[in-house]
């Protein structure tokens, strides 16, 4: 089990890698059997689907994550933040988000769930 400080550092590193579009680096943080659920996409299962998402399916061209809060008990890491960026269709985007990461005993992320603050109901 990873320490609290390591868990916080891991998610901070994850968002930095995403913002730099370092796909090999960010994928290396995940377990081979990772499951990622995100609104608008079917569940992504395994490293191959996760990598394909970041290389081809993700609608974001570029941007920056700013974290407001990170809370962890080491196995579960909850993140609340803002994303500002550019979509592949040229549209500017700014959205608040919440992410929940489940960490395996080996310190790799085994599950991620993303939620966006936008009107749905």
């Amino acid at each position: 089990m990873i320490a609290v400080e390591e868990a916080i550092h891991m998610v901070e590193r994850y968002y930095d890698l995403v913002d730099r579009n370092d796909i090999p680096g960010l994928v290396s943080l995940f377990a081979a059997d990772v499951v990622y659920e995100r609104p608008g996409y079917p569940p992504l299962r395994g490293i191959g689907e996760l990598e394909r998402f970041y290389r081809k399916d993700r609608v974001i061209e570029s941007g920056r994550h700013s974290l407001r809060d990170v809370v962890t008990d080491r196995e579960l890491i909850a993140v609340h933040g803002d994303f500002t960026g550019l979509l592949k269709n040229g549209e500017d985007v700014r959205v608040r988000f919440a992410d929940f990461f489940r960490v395996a005993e080996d310190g790799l992320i085994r599950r991620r769930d993303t939620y966006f603050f936008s009107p749905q109901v």
Side-chain angles (χ1 to χ4, degrees):
M1 185 68 62
I2 64 175
V4 170
E5 297 80 18
E6 289 177 276
I8 292 170
H9 176 72
M10 180 174 49
V11 295
E12 290 174 338
R13 182 167 178 245
Y14 164 76
Y15 291 108
D16 178 59
L17 292 166
V18 170
D19 293 347
R20 290 190 290 123
N21 199 33
D22 181 345
I23 296 167
L26 74 91
V27 169
S28 74
L29 300 176
F30 290 85
D33 61 348
V34 63
V35 175
Y36 177 30
E37 293 199 49
R38 177 186 181 98
Y41 298 89
L44 304 172
R45 300 183 186 282
I47 289 292
E49 288 187 13
L50 184 70
E51 186 170 353
R52 185 195 74 233
F53 168 77
Y54 281 104
R55 290 195 187 280
K56 296 182 181 190
D57 300 336
R58 189 171 183 240
V59 298
I60 296 169
E61 178 67 32
S62 62
R64 184 176 180 326
H65 292 84
S66 299
L67 306 186
R68 294 180 182 210
D69 302 292
V70 178
V71 179
T72 183
D73 71 355
R74 299 179 309 204
E75 182 182 325
L76 176 66
I77 307 166
V79 178
H80 174 224
D82 299 287
F83 175 79
T84 304
L86 180 68
L87 300 181
K88 289 180 180 174
N89 68 6
E91 183 180 330
D92 289 322
V93 65
R94 179 177 170 85
V95 64
R96 285 176 52 202
F97 68 91
D99 270 326
F100 294 86
F101 298 85
R102 286 260 174 214
V103 181
E105 295 235 353
D106 60 6
L108 296 174
I109 300 165
R110 65 182 165 116
R111 182 172 181 91
R112 179 179 172 208
D113 294 281
T114 297
Y115 303 91
F116 296 106
F117 288 76
S118 63
Q120 297 295 314
V121 293

